[in-house]
Amino acid sequence: MSPLNAQANFAKMRPRLIRRALQQLARGAGVRENFEGQLSRFFDMLEQALETGDTAWMDAIILEWVSSKTQTDIAEGQKNATALLTILFTLATETAREEMNAEEALDAITAVQPIFTYALDKAARLEMENRVAYFANEIASVQQKLEQLDRSKSNFISVAAHELKTPLTLIEGYTSMMRDSSSDPNSESDPLLNGVRTGIQRLRQIVDDMIDVSLIDNNMLSLNSQPLWLSHILDMLQKNLNDTIKERCLNLEIKKFPGSQDWLYADPERLYQAFQNLLTNGIKYTPDGGSLAVDGRTLPGFVEVTFTDTGIGISPEDQERIFEKFGQLGRADLHSSSKVKFKGGGPGLGLSITRGIIEAHGGTIWVESEGYDEKNCPGSTFHILLPVRTESADPRLSKLFGDLTKPKEEKNVEKETRINPPAS
Ligand code: ADP
């Protein structure tokens, strides 16, 4: 059959087809009137496409249907353009079968099918693009809300920390005056004064952490870089944590790993703080009798330090979250009575500060753990990658220490800087 015949046959069944489509798709007089207009336009375009053999005639109406804000504009209900086109094609097939003999019906359907296929493909693509744009928009707005929330958190921490600092300093001052002015020669062991002192120290620690978090949030953490050996810092930590380790019947092994006794520029106090946070966490989340180990290796341009424990572990879905501020996990049985007791909880600032310190050094930190299991204790390993800086950004320090990669005899660094070498 020629396209002209197909067109004539299609024109014949058009009024019936429109009636059926209206019955099926549009309820209510207002919707029906509007939809009837749109259907007429659709079939006008379809006839043009049939006549010319150019499917692009359908573009305008498809674009209009896809971008119509609510689908009630074109049909009542939640139908989208692709669903609507599918229904129209089914109705066209049924109507052709009813209105024409088998051969004419087959010809008419065969003629319109490529046009419907083109229209469906176009509508599906446009709808997908619309959907992607919609979700991209939603994501951007959620992101904006999260950033706002993060800013509020930061502001809160910063204001709270600075407001608490002054009264805390006053309390510290008055308590030490009370101790000094006490006529009791045993005031040092007064349990009441000691209780107050422990409470103040804990509060001071929290306020200091809050100040550090707000410095990191505002990119204001400044490093005081000096030449150091990582093993030196780790040895000091081992000494300072010795009593706690004993008290908790833990075993702490700090290995002398490649790179730990090479000079590099970093901030010793801040690194001490970062390593201490990781070790005290290891102590806190490992049951009595467990083990902690510090090891490492050199990589091109970096030194890697690992902190491993045989503790309760961290589930994969929490391994990113714990580095966020207030990233403590909602475990019901945590208690905040102590910084080192098993499962002694905290405000959840330690790892966020640790990450801030490591990133300020140009390094990175992550954790690996098989998961959280208090019975089998799969343990966790925190990895730190630190860039090995052998030249200082400060020209005065460079002049003083020279190039750290040169052998020690040449620079005589130890004599000049009075930095003690680590105990071997
Ligand atoms: P805090 O210890 O004060 O809660 P941190 O920022 O140091 O805060 O740690 C965040 C959370 O990460 C902790 O509450 C704990 O749930 C989890 N976590 C940290 N270190 C370990 C570890 N070594 N083993 C198991 N869980 C850990």
Side-chain angles (χ1 to χ4, degrees):
M1 192 199 261
S2 71
L4 264 180
N5 279 344
Q7 199 189 333
N9 281 336
F10 188 77
K12 245 197 298 176
M13 71 172 186
R14 180 174 154 161
R16 177 112 190 257
L17 180 53
I18 291 186
R19 255 200 325 279
R20 290 184 101 181
L22 283 173
Q23 257 169 13
Q24 183 156 342
L25 294 165
R27 266 169 247 123
V31 174
R32 192 174 293 214
E33 202 178 308
N34 181 16
F35 187 39
E36 190 171 1
Q38 300 215 29
L39 277 181
S40 290
R41 262 198 346 107
F42 175 80
F43 288 122
D44 285 347
M45 295 301 123
L46 192 113
E47 281 176 23
Q48 288 290 343
L50 262 179
E51 191 182 329
T52 58
D54 181 2
T55 47
W57 279 97
M58 308 305 294
D59 287 359
I61 185 95
I62 299 301
L63 186 66
E64 198 177 306
W65 281 6
V66 169
S67 44
S68 109
K69 264 194 236 89
T70 60
Q71 295 303 324
T72 46
D73 286 350
I74 49 172
E76 199 185 43
Q78 301 304 311
K79 303 270 183 294
N80 56 22
T82 42
L84 191 62
L85 285 165
T86 313
I87 294 170
L88 286 178
F89 183 63
T90 313
L91 286 178
T93 314
E94 282 170 14
T95 316
R97 282 213 194 97
E98 286 164 18
E99 295 254 311
M100 303 168 201
N101 65 40
E103 195 188 337
E104 280 176 343
L106 184 66
D107 278 346
I109 293 163
T110 315
V112 295
Q113 195 206 1
I115 302 169
F116 269 101
T117 309
Y118 170 84
L120 262 170
D121 179 58
K122 177 116 194 145
R125 242 179 317 123
L126 289 171
E127 273 175 3
M128 185 56 74
E129 278 167 21
N130 272 1
R131 233 163 266 172
V132 169
Y134 172 79
F135 284 119
N137 230 343
E138 287 286 290
I139 291 169
S141 115
V142 170
Q143 179 83 15
Q144 215 177 7
K145 280 188 195 138
L146 283 178
E147 279 167 13
Q148 205 171 347
L149 186 69
D150 202 57
R151 266 200 303 279
S152 310
K153 265 196 213 171
S154 275
N155 290 345
F156 169 76
I157 294 175
S158 159
V159 171
H162 285 98
E163 291 302 319
L164 286 172
K165 214 167 75 173
T166 318
L168 182 61
T169 312
L170 281 175
I171 298 171
E172 273 172 340
Y174 282 119
T175 330
S176 72
M177 275 157 66
M178 272 163 72
R179 190 185 297 275
D180 292 347
S181 61
S182 168
S183 50
D184 180 358
N186 296 325
S187 68
E188 273 300 316
S189 55
D190 181 341
L192 293 182
L193 277 176
N194 279 341
V196 175
R197 188 166 60 173
T198 315
I200 290 172
Q201 277 169 353
R202 192 79 191 90
L203 202 55
R204 164 64 64 193
Q205 180 68 53
I206 293 171
V207 171
D208 285 348
D209 280 357
M210 287 164 82
I211 291 172
D212 283 346
V213 164
S214 76
L215 284 176
I216 290 165
D217 274 353
N218 294 300
N219 284 327
M220 283 168 64
L221 187 80
S222 59
L223 296 180
N224 180 11
S225 283
Q226 298 168 21
L228 57 85
W229 288 351
L230 293 178
S231 60
H232 189 187
I233 294 176
L234 290 167
D235 286 342
M236 282 198 295
L237 263 169
Q238 186 161 35
K239 241 179 256 158
N240 293 345
L241 290 173
N242 209 10
D243 290 347
T244 315
I245 293 282
K246 267 199 202 134
E247 191 187 314
R248 292 280 322 280
C249 300
L250 296 165
N251 176 41
L252 169 63
E253 186 187 8
I254 296 188
K255 296 190 180 147
K256 293 274 176 287
F257 53 88
S260 66
Q261 286 174 295
D262 294 342
W263 290 105
L264 59 92
Y265 277 101
D267 183 327
E269 273 181 40
R270 287 300 185 182
L271 276 194
Y272 182 94
Q273 185 184 4
F275 292 174
Q276 185 182 39
N277 281 345
L278 294 179
L279 280 175
T280 45
N281 273 350
I283 294 172
K284 261 196 315 193
Y285 299 107
T286 302
D288 292 8
S291 312
L292 310 172
V294 182
D295 201 353
R297 58 179 173 157
T298 50
L299 293 166
F302 288 89
V303 58
E304 182 180 21
V305 193
T306 53
F307 295 79
T308 304
D309 62 59
T310 58
I312 57 178
I314 303 158
S315 56
E317 62 271 21
D318 291 328
Q319 290 175 11
E320 260 296 309
R321 184 151 76 91
I322 54 170
F323 293 101
E324 285 163 20
K325 47 184 179 281
F326 302 120
Q328 74 271 64
L329 309 174
R331 293 171 184 162
D333 54 346
L334 292 186
H335 49 86
S336 55
S337 55
S338 161
K339 254 195 98 76
V340 286
K341 272 195 187 143
F342 181 45
K343 294 199 285 175
L349 298 176
L351 284 181
S352 128
I353 295 170
T354 303
R355 181 171 69 175
I357 291 173
I358 299 302
E359 288 181 352
H361 280 85
T364 177
I365 179 170
W366 72 98
V367 66
E368 281 171 8
S369 171
E370 275 173 31
Y372 167 64
D373 182 348
E374 291 201 16
K375 242 194 191 157
N376 298 313
C377 285
S380 316
T381 300
F382 285 81
H383 296 253
I384 286 181
L385 267 190
L386 267 181
V388 179
R389 298 229 159 92
T390 51
E391 274 176 50
S392 171
D394 182 345
R396 285 168 307 172
L397 279 182
S398 294
K399 207 170 159 202
L400 192 61
F401 298 112
D403 183 354
L404 296 183
T405 51
K406 295 230 175 86
K408 264 179 262 164
E409 311 78 72
E410 278 181 40
K411 300 184 277 114
N412 207 5
V413 172
E414 283 170 55
K415 214 164 75 194
E416 282 184 38
T417 62
R418 304 219 312 259
I419 290 176
N420 296 323
S424 53

PDB file of all heavy atoms in Angstrom, residues 6-32:
ATOM      1  N   ALA A   6      -2.179   4.728   3.245  1.00  0.00           N
ATOM      2  CA  ALA A   6      -2.028   4.587   4.704  1.00  0.00           C
ATOM      3  C   ALA A   6      -2.509   5.862   5.387  1.00  0.00           C
ATOM      4  O   ALA A   6      -3.211   5.823   6.394  1.00  0.00           O
ATOM      5  CB  ALA A   6      -0.563   4.320   5.038  1.00  0.00           C
ATOM      6  N   GLN A   7      -2.163   6.976   4.757  1.00  0.00           N
ATOM      7  CA  GLN A   7      -2.547   8.274   5.337  1.00  0.00           C
ATOM      8  C   GLN A   7      -4.064   8.419   5.316  1.00  0.00           C
ATOM      9  O   GLN A   7      -4.676   8.845   6.302  1.00  0.00           O
ATOM     10  CB  GLN A   7      -1.897   9.357   4.488  1.00  0.00           C
ATOM     11  CG  GLN A   7      -1.800  10.690   5.184  1.00  0.00           C
ATOM     12  CD  GLN A   7      -1.343  11.751   4.186  1.00  0.00           C
ATOM     13  OE1 GLN A   7      -0.659  11.428   3.206  1.00  0.00           O
ATOM     14  NE2 GLN A   7      -1.737  12.980   4.436  1.00  0.00           N
ATOM     15  N   ALA A   8      -4.662   8.025   4.186  1.00  0.00           N
ATOM     16  CA  ALA A   8      -6.119   8.141   4.061  1.00  0.00           C
ATOM     17  C   ALA A   8      -6.805   7.234   5.071  1.00  0.00           C
ATOM     18  O   ALA A   8      -7.762   7.632   5.740  1.00  0.00           O
ATOM     19  CB  ALA A   8      -6.532   7.761   2.637  1.00  0.00           C
ATOM     20  N   ASN A   9      -6.274   5.999   5.218  1.00  0.00           N
ATOM     21  CA  ASN A   9      -6.862   5.067   6.186  1.00  0.00           C
ATOM     22  C   ASN A   9      -6.728   5.587   7.611  1.00  0.00           C
ATOM     23  O   ASN A   9      -7.643   5.470   8.418  1.00  0.00           O
ATOM     24  CB  ASN A   9      -6.183   3.696   6.090  1.00  0.00           C
ATOM     25  CG  ASN A   9      -6.720   2.921   4.915  1.00  0.00           C
ATOM     26  OD1 ASN A   9      -7.834   3.173   4.455  1.00  0.00           O
ATOM     27  ND2 ASN A   9      -5.917   1.986   4.405  1.00  0.00           N
ATOM     28  N   PHE A  10      -5.568   6.159   7.857  1.00  0.00           N
ATOM     29  CA  PHE A  10      -5.338   6.676   9.205  1.00  0.00           C
ATOM     30  C   PHE A  10      -6.292   7.829   9.486  1.00  0.00           C
ATOM     31  O   PHE A  10      -6.889   7.926  10.562  1.00  0.00           O
ATOM     32  CB  PHE A  10      -3.881   7.119   9.341  1.00  0.00           C
ATOM     33  CG  PHE A  10      -3.559   7.486  10.757  1.00  0.00           C
ATOM     34  CD1 PHE A  10      -3.339   6.506  11.705  1.00  0.00           C
ATOM     35  CD2 PHE A  10      -3.553   8.816  11.160  1.00  0.00           C
ATOM     36  CE1 PHE A  10      -3.079   6.831  13.014  1.00  0.00           C
ATOM     37  CE2 PHE A  10      -3.296   9.150  12.468  1.00  0.00           C
ATOM     38  CZ  PHE A  10      -3.054   8.156  13.393  1.00  0.00           C
ATOM     39  N   ALA A  11      -6.479   8.699   8.492  1.00  0.00           N
ATOM     40  CA  ALA A  11      -7.381   9.848   8.640  1.00  0.00           C
ATOM     41  C   ALA A  11      -8.801   9.359   8.923  1.00  0.00           C
ATOM     42  O   ALA A  11      -9.530   9.953   9.721  1.00  0.00           O
ATOM     43  CB  ALA A  11      -7.342  10.710   7.382  1.00  0.00           C
ATOM     44  N   LYS A  12      -9.141   8.225   8.321  1.00  0.00           N
ATOM     45  CA  LYS A  12     -10.493   7.676   8.514  1.00  0.00           C
ATOM     46  C   LYS A  12     -10.736   7.281   9.980  1.00  0.00           C
ATOM     47  O   LYS A  12     -11.787   7.535  10.534  1.00  0.00           O
ATOM     48  CB  LYS A  12     -10.662   6.420   7.617  1.00  0.00           C
ATOM     49  CG  LYS A  12     -11.718   6.622   6.516  1.00  0.00           C
ATOM     50  CD  LYS A  12     -12.185   5.316   5.926  1.00  0.00           C
ATOM     51  CE  LYS A  12     -11.069   4.541   5.247  1.00  0.00           C
ATOM     52  NZ  LYS A  12     -11.384   3.251   4.739  1.00  0.00           N
ATOM     53  N   MET A  13      -9.745   6.650  10.527  1.00  0.00           N
ATOM     54  CA  MET A  13      -9.978   6.144  11.908  1.00  0.00           C
ATOM     55  C   MET A  13      -9.659   7.195  12.984  1.00  0.00           C
ATOM     56  O   MET A  13      -9.889   6.989  14.170  1.00  0.00           O
ATOM     57  CB  MET A  13      -9.166   4.879  12.158  1.00  0.00           C
ATOM     58  CG  MET A  13      -7.692   5.091  12.266  1.00  0.00           C
ATOM     59  SD  MET A  13      -6.920   3.566  12.796  1.00  0.00           S
ATOM     60  CE  MET A  13      -5.246   4.082  13.023  1.00  0.00           C
ATOM     61  N   ARG A  14      -9.134   8.336  12.568  1.00  0.00           N
ATOM     62  CA  ARG A  14      -8.690   9.342  13.537  1.00  0.00           C
ATOM     63  C   ARG A  14      -9.779   9.787  14.537  1.00  0.00           C
ATOM     64  O   ARG A  14      -9.529   9.791  15.747  1.00  0.00           O
ATOM     65  CB  ARG A  14      -8.107  10.526  12.764  1.00  0.00           C
ATOM     66  CG  ARG A  14      -7.611  11.641  13.643  1.00  0.00           C
ATOM     67  CD  ARG A  14      -6.933  12.703  12.830  1.00  0.00           C
ATOM     68  NE  ARG A  14      -7.007  13.972  13.523  1.00  0.00           N
ATOM     69  CZ  ARG A  14      -6.236  14.991  13.279  1.00  0.00           C
ATOM     70  NH1 ARG A  14      -5.330  14.912  12.335  1.00  0.00           N
ATOM     71  NH2 ARG A  14      -6.355  16.095  13.953  1.00  0.00           N
ATOM     72  N   PRO A  15     -11.048  10.136  14.047  1.00  0.00           N
ATOM     73  CA  PRO A  15     -12.045  10.596  15.035  1.00  0.00           C
ATOM     74  C   PRO A  15     -12.328   9.537  16.099  1.00  0.00           C
ATOM     75  O   PRO A  15     -12.411   9.841  17.289  1.00  0.00           O
ATOM     76  CB  PRO A  15     -13.293  10.853  14.180  1.00  0.00           C
ATOM     77  CG  PRO A  15     -12.815  10.945  12.773  1.00  0.00           C
ATOM     78  CD  PRO A  15     -11.557  10.149  12.675  1.00  0.00           C
ATOM     79  N   ARG A  16     -12.412   8.274  15.680  1.00  0.00           N
ATOM     80  CA  ARG A  16     -12.696   7.192  16.647  1.00  0.00           C
ATOM     81  C   ARG A  16     -11.527   7.047  17.633  1.00  0.00           C
ATOM     82  O   ARG A  16     -11.745   6.868  18.834  1.00  0.00           O
ATOM     83  CB  ARG A  16     -12.927   5.902  15.843  1.00  0.00           C
ATOM     84  CG  ARG A  16     -13.149   4.680  16.675  1.00  0.00           C
ATOM     85  CD  ARG A  16     -14.590   4.159  16.528  1.00  0.00           C
ATOM     86  NE  ARG A  16     -14.842   3.141  17.509  1.00  0.00           N
ATOM     87  CZ  ARG A  16     -14.857   1.850  17.242  1.00  0.00           C
ATOM     88  NH1 ARG A  16     -14.698   1.446  15.998  1.00  0.00           N
ATOM     89  NH2 ARG A  16     -15.076   0.977  18.194  1.00  0.00           N
ATOM     90  N   LEU A  17     -10.336   7.155  17.061  1.00  0.00           N
ATOM     91  CA  LEU A  17      -9.131   7.008  17.899  1.00  0.00           C
ATOM     92  C   LEU A  17      -9.078   8.109  18.962  1.00  0.00           C
ATOM     93  O   LEU A  17      -8.813   7.847  20.141  1.00  0.00           O
ATOM     94  CB  LEU A  17      -7.891   7.056  16.986  1.00  0.00           C
ATOM     95  CG  LEU A  17      -6.519   6.914  17.616  1.00  0.00           C
ATOM     96  CD1 LEU A  17      -6.430   5.674  18.488  1.00  0.00           C
ATOM     97  CD2 LEU A  17      -5.443   6.844  16.536  1.00  0.00           C
ATOM     98  N   ILE A  18      -9.404   9.325  18.548  1.00  0.00           N
ATOM     99  CA  ILE A  18      -9.379  10.448  19.515  1.00  0.00           C
ATOM    100  C   ILE A  18     -10.438  10.225  20.599  1.00  0.00           C
ATOM    101  O   ILE A  18     -10.191  10.413  21.785  1.00  0.00           O
ATOM    102  CB  ILE A  18      -9.579  11.798  18.788  1.00  0.00           C
ATOM    103  CG1 ILE A  18      -8.334  12.097  17.932  1.00  0.00           C
ATOM    104  CG2 ILE A  18      -9.844  12.923  19.778  1.00  0.00           C
ATOM    105  CD1 ILE A  18      -8.313  13.445  17.267  1.00  0.00           C
ATOM    106  N   ARG A  19     -11.615   9.764  20.174  1.00  0.00           N
ATOM    107  CA  ARG A  19     -12.694   9.518  21.161  1.00  0.00           C
ATOM    108  C   ARG A  19     -12.258   8.488  22.202  1.00  0.00           C
ATOM    109  O   ARG A  19     -12.420   8.682  23.397  1.00  0.00           O
ATOM    110  CB  ARG A  19     -13.942   9.017  20.419  1.00  0.00           C
ATOM    111  CG  ARG A  19     -15.032  10.090  20.317  1.00  0.00           C
ATOM    112  CD  ARG A  19     -16.408   9.542  20.035  1.00  0.00           C
ATOM    113  NE  ARG A  19     -16.501   8.394  19.174  1.00  0.00           N
ATOM    114  CZ  ARG A  19     -16.465   8.421  17.841  1.00  0.00           C
ATOM    115  NH1 ARG A  19     -16.347   9.573  17.204  1.00  0.00           N
ATOM    116  NH2 ARG A  19     -16.575   7.312  17.139  1.00  0.00           N
ATOM    117  N   ARG A  20     -11.651   7.429  21.717  1.00  0.00           N
ATOM    118  CA  ARG A  20     -11.218   6.351  22.629  1.00  0.00           C
ATOM    119  C   ARG A  20     -10.131   6.852  23.579  1.00  0.00           C
ATOM    120  O   ARG A  20     -10.154   6.568  24.775  1.00  0.00           O
ATOM    121  CB  ARG A  20     -10.640   5.170  21.848  1.00  0.00           C
ATOM    122  CG  ARG A  20     -11.688   4.423  21.087  1.00  0.00           C
ATOM    123  CD  ARG A  20     -11.066   3.235  20.438  1.00  0.00           C
ATOM    124  NE  ARG A  20     -11.333   2.025  21.185  1.00  0.00           N
ATOM    125  CZ  ARG A  20     -10.879   0.837  20.844  1.00  0.00           C
ATOM    126  NH1 ARG A  20     -10.104   0.703  19.797  1.00  0.00           N
ATOM    127  NH2 ARG A  20     -11.182  -0.215  21.542  1.00  0.00           N
ATOM    128  N   ALA A  21      -9.200   7.619  23.004  1.00  0.00           N
ATOM    129  CA  ALA A  21      -8.099   8.136  23.839  1.00  0.00           C
ATOM    130  C   ALA A  21      -8.652   9.057  24.917  1.00  0.00           C
ATOM    131  O   ALA A  21      -8.226   9.014  26.075  1.00  0.00           O
ATOM    132  CB  ALA A  21      -7.089   8.863  22.963  1.00  0.00           C
ATOM    133  N   LEU A  22      -9.655   9.876  24.526  1.00  0.00           N
ATOM    134  CA  LEU A  22     -10.244  10.796  25.513  1.00  0.00           C
ATOM    135  C   LEU A  22     -10.934  10.021  26.618  1.00  0.00           C
ATOM    136  O   LEU A  22     -10.811  10.336  27.803  1.00  0.00           O
ATOM    137  CB  LEU A  22     -11.241  11.730  24.834  1.00  0.00           C
ATOM    138  CG  LEU A  22     -10.629  12.893  24.038  1.00  0.00           C
ATOM    139  CD1 LEU A  22     -11.704  13.651  23.281  1.00  0.00           C
ATOM    140  CD2 LEU A  22      -9.887  13.838  24.984  1.00  0.00           C
ATOM    141  N   GLN A  23     -11.658   8.990  26.203  1.00  0.00           N
ATOM    142  CA  GLN A  23     -12.377   8.164  27.196  1.00  0.00           C
ATOM    143  C   GLN A  23     -11.402   7.525  28.178  1.00  0.00           C
ATOM    144  O   GLN A  23     -11.607   7.525  29.377  1.00  0.00           O
ATOM    145  CB  GLN A  23     -13.105   7.032  26.473  1.00  0.00           C
ATOM    146  CG  GLN A  23     -14.586   7.276  26.337  1.00  0.00           C
ATOM    147  CD  GLN A  23     -15.188   6.268  25.379  1.00  0.00           C
ATOM    148  OE1 GLN A  23     -14.564   5.271  25.006  1.00  0.00           O
ATOM    149  NE2 GLN A  23     -16.414   6.521  24.954  1.00  0.00           N
ATOM    150  N   GLN A  24     -10.333   7.030  27.639  1.00  0.00           N
ATOM    151  CA  GLN A  24      -9.398   6.279  28.479  1.00  0.00           C
ATOM    152  C   GLN A  24      -8.507   7.199  29.330  1.00  0.00           C
ATOM    153  O   GLN A  24      -8.174   6.876  30.461  1.00  0.00           O
ATOM    154  CB  GLN A  24      -8.505   5.396  27.600  1.00  0.00           C
ATOM    155  CG  GLN A  24      -7.579   4.547  28.435  1.00  0.00           C
ATOM    156  CD  GLN A  24      -7.139   3.307  27.674  1.00  0.00           C
ATOM    157  OE1 GLN A  24      -7.737   2.900  26.686  1.00  0.00           O
ATOM    158  NE2 GLN A  24      -6.077   2.701  28.148  1.00  0.00           N
ATOM    159  N   LEU A  25      -8.139   8.348  28.759  1.00  0.00           N
ATOM    160  CA  LEU A  25      -7.081   9.125  29.418  1.00  0.00           C
ATOM    161  C   LEU A  25      -7.531  10.409  30.107  1.00  0.00           C
ATOM    162  O   LEU A  25      -6.831  10.900  30.977  1.00  0.00           O
ATOM    163  CB  LEU A  25      -5.980   9.465  28.409  1.00  0.00           C
ATOM    164  CG  LEU A  25      -5.200   8.274  27.876  1.00  0.00           C
ATOM    165  CD1 LEU A  25      -4.418   8.653  26.652  1.00  0.00           C
ATOM    166  CD2 LEU A  25      -4.261   7.744  28.942  1.00  0.00           C
ATOM    167  N   ALA A  26      -8.659  10.979  29.677  1.00  0.00           N
ATOM    168  CA  ALA A  26      -9.013  12.288  30.246  1.00  0.00           C
ATOM    169  C   ALA A  26     -10.359  12.242  30.912  1.00  0.00           C
ATOM    170  O   ALA A  26     -11.353  11.887  30.292  1.00  0.00           O
ATOM    171  CB  ALA A  26      -9.001  13.335  29.139  1.00  0.00           C
ATOM    172  N   ARG A  27     -10.339  12.604  32.234  1.00  0.00           N
ATOM    173  CA  ARG A  27     -11.603  12.703  32.948  1.00  0.00           C
ATOM    174  C   ARG A  27     -11.829  14.171  33.320  1.00  0.00           C
ATOM    175  O   ARG A  27     -10.873  14.881  33.604  1.00  0.00           O
ATOM    176  CB  ARG A  27     -11.570  11.830  34.202  1.00  0.00           C
ATOM    177  CG  ARG A  27     -12.161  10.459  33.941  1.00  0.00           C
ATOM    178  CD  ARG A  27     -11.902   9.507  35.070  1.00  0.00           C
ATOM    179  NE  ARG A  27     -10.995   8.451  34.636  1.00  0.00           N
ATOM    180  CZ  ARG A  27      -9.840   8.158  35.212  1.00  0.00           C
ATOM    181  NH1 ARG A  27      -9.421   8.856  36.235  1.00  0.00           N
ATOM    182  NH2 ARG A  27      -9.098   7.169  34.762  1.00  0.00           N
ATOM    183  N   GLY A  28     -13.051  14.621  33.281  1.00  0.00           N
ATOM    184  CA  GLY A  28     -13.332  16.019  33.624  1.00  0.00           C
ATOM    185  C   GLY A  28     -13.340  16.871  32.356  1.00  0.00           C
ATOM    186  O   GLY A  28     -12.465  16.725  31.499  1.00  0.00           O
ATOM    187  N   ALA A  29     -14.365  17.778  32.293  1.00  0.00           N
ATOM    188  CA  ALA A  29     -14.577  18.535  31.050  1.00  0.00           C
ATOM    189  C   ALA A  29     -13.372  19.389  30.663  1.00  0.00           C
ATOM    190  O   ALA A  29     -12.930  19.396  29.510  1.00  0.00           O
ATOM    191  CB  ALA A  29     -15.815  19.410  31.208  1.00  0.00           C
ATOM    192  N   GLY A  30     -12.779  20.096  31.661  1.00  0.00           N
ATOM    193  CA  GLY A  30     -11.655  21.018  31.377  1.00  0.00           C
ATOM    194  C   GLY A  30     -10.474  20.260  30.802  1.00  0.00           C
ATOM    195  O   GLY A  30      -9.908  20.625  29.766  1.00  0.00           O
ATOM    196  N   VAL A  31     -10.128  19.151  31.469  1.00  0.00           N
ATOM    197  CA  VAL A  31      -8.974  18.354  31.049  1.00  0.00           C
ATOM    198  C   VAL A  31      -9.223  17.802  29.644  1.00  0.00           C
ATOM    199  O   VAL A  31      -8.361  17.843  28.776  1.00  0.00           O
ATOM    200  CB  VAL A  31      -8.733  17.200  32.045  1.00  0.00           C
ATOM    201  CG1 VAL A  31      -7.635  16.270  31.550  1.00  0.00           C
ATOM    202  CG2 VAL A  31      -8.408  17.736  33.418  1.00  0.00           C
ATOM    203  N   ARG A  32     -10.490  17.342  29.444  1.00  0.00           N
ATOM    204  CA  ARG A  32     -10.821  16.704  28.165  1.00  0.00           C
ATOM    205  C   ARG A  32     -10.648  17.682  26.994  1.00  0.00           C
ATOM    206  O   ARG A  32     -10.064  17.355  25.970  1.00  0.00           O
ATOM    207  CB  ARG A  32     -12.272  16.217  28.229  1.00  0.00           C
ATOM    208  CG  ARG A  32     -12.632  15.308  27.088  1.00  0.00           C
ATOM    209  CD  ARG A  32     -13.987  14.779  27.308  1.00  0.00           C
ATOM    210  NE  ARG A  32     -14.003  13.880  28.475  1.00  0.00           N
ATOM    211  CZ  ARG A  32     -14.778  12.821  28.552  1.00  0.00           C
ATOM    212  NH1 ARG A  32     -15.580  12.521  27.566  1.00  0.00           N
ATOM    213  NH2 ARG A  32     -14.770  12.060  29.605  1.00  0.00           N
TER     214      ARG A  32
END
